[in-house]
Amino acid sequence: MLTMQDLLTAVVYVLPAYIANGTPVVVLRFARRGHPLDMGMIMRDGRRLLGDGKTVEGLISGVSAGLAAAVLLYVLLPGVYRGFLECGLMPVGAMAGDIFGSFLKRRLGVERGGSAPVLDQLGFLLMALFLAWLPYGPPDWANPPTILLLLLVTAFLHISTNTLAYLLGLKEKWY
Ligand code: CTP
Ligand code: MG
């Protein structure tokens, strides 16, 4: 059953993943040039393993900011998570999902910064939820309609925050 209460809990629950995913955009704007995670490695298909959009600085800042958010939420909102692992794994999953998304994009021939609908907006969240749910299984709010609406809200937030980042000059593409 879909309730406003479940949806709100879901959005708060995934905040560590959102923060991990959004931090690198801001940090890389000020770090000028990051160090690519793939160290420039080119695969047999002639394309980069990940590309210049996935950097060491982005990974470290994203995981750190996401973990800081996880600690705050865990302490300030008892009852949302069943243990610290549940929220602490989300920033790790978000960054892993985002990196895996870039790996897939390069294999599909999409250049760095090119658009891959659904993967770009939801890849990070799906991986974050997968890891977060490993220790205890899905939480109480996780019924199919709530998950579906959470994915829609996430896609909407992803596109609107990226557009905002583009308008603020933080990002070169709006998507
Ligand atoms: N970023 C980073 N390191 C990460 C993730 C993101 O440095 N691990 C920074 C990069 O500056 C990147 C920006 O955040 O350009 C936006 O992230 P994203 O949209 O995921 O990267 P894209 O540049 O679109 O590259 P890709 O096509 O590989 O997704
Ligand atoms: Mg992108």
Side-chain angles (χ1 to χ4, degrees):
M1 234 261 291
L2 179 68
T3 63
M4 199 59 200
Q5 166 90 41
D6 278 348
L7 185 64
L8 276 176
T9 310
V11 172
V12 170
Y13 181 99
V14 299
L15 279 178
Y18 286 177
I19 287 166
N21 193 248
T23 298
V25 181
V26 181
V27 168
L28 265 292
R29 174 65 182 77
F30 298 102
R32 292 163 61 207
R33 260 187 92 248
H35 298 77
L37 279 170
D38 68 4
M39 298 187 288
M41 187 179 160
I42 302 202
M43 299 289 277
R44 268 131 149 309
D45 56 14
R47 298 180 189 279
R48 290 279 295 276
L49 174 66
L50 303 171
D52 286 337
K54 297 294 113 92
T55 67
V56 177
E57 290 81 352
L59 176 64
I60 293 176
S61 61
V63 171
S64 311
L67 279 178
V71 170
L72 276 180
L73 288 170
Y74 188 67
V75 173
L76 297 179
L77 300 176
V80 173
Y81 304 104
R82 290 160 287 178
F84 181 70
L85 251 194
E86 190 175 10
C87 51
L89 280 171
M90 262 189 291
V92 178
M95 295 318 275
D98 180 54
I99 290 168
F100 183 61
S102 292
F103 173 81
L104 285 182
K105 281 168 78 174
R106 301 301 92 80
R107 304 290 75 71
L108 292 168
V110 180
E111 80 279 22
R112 177 253 168 115
S115 156
V118 183
L119 190 59
D120 279 339
Q121 291 80 35
L122 299 180
F124 80 97
L125 184 65
L126 294 175
M127 187 74 96
L129 289 179
F130 175 76
L131 279 197
W133 295 357
L134 279 181
Y136 313 97
D140 285 342
W141 58 262
N143 50 60
T146 303
I147 295 173
L148 193 70
L149 210 55
L150 174 67
L151 296 181
L152 285 175
V153 167
T154 303
F156 173 79
L157 285 176
H158 199 269
I159 293 170
S160 40
T161 51
N162 274 323
T163 305
L164 184 69
Y166 168 79
L167 293 174
L168 291 173
L170 291 171
K171 214 170 171 284
E172 269 152 35
K173 306 247 166 77
W174 63 268
Y175 47 83

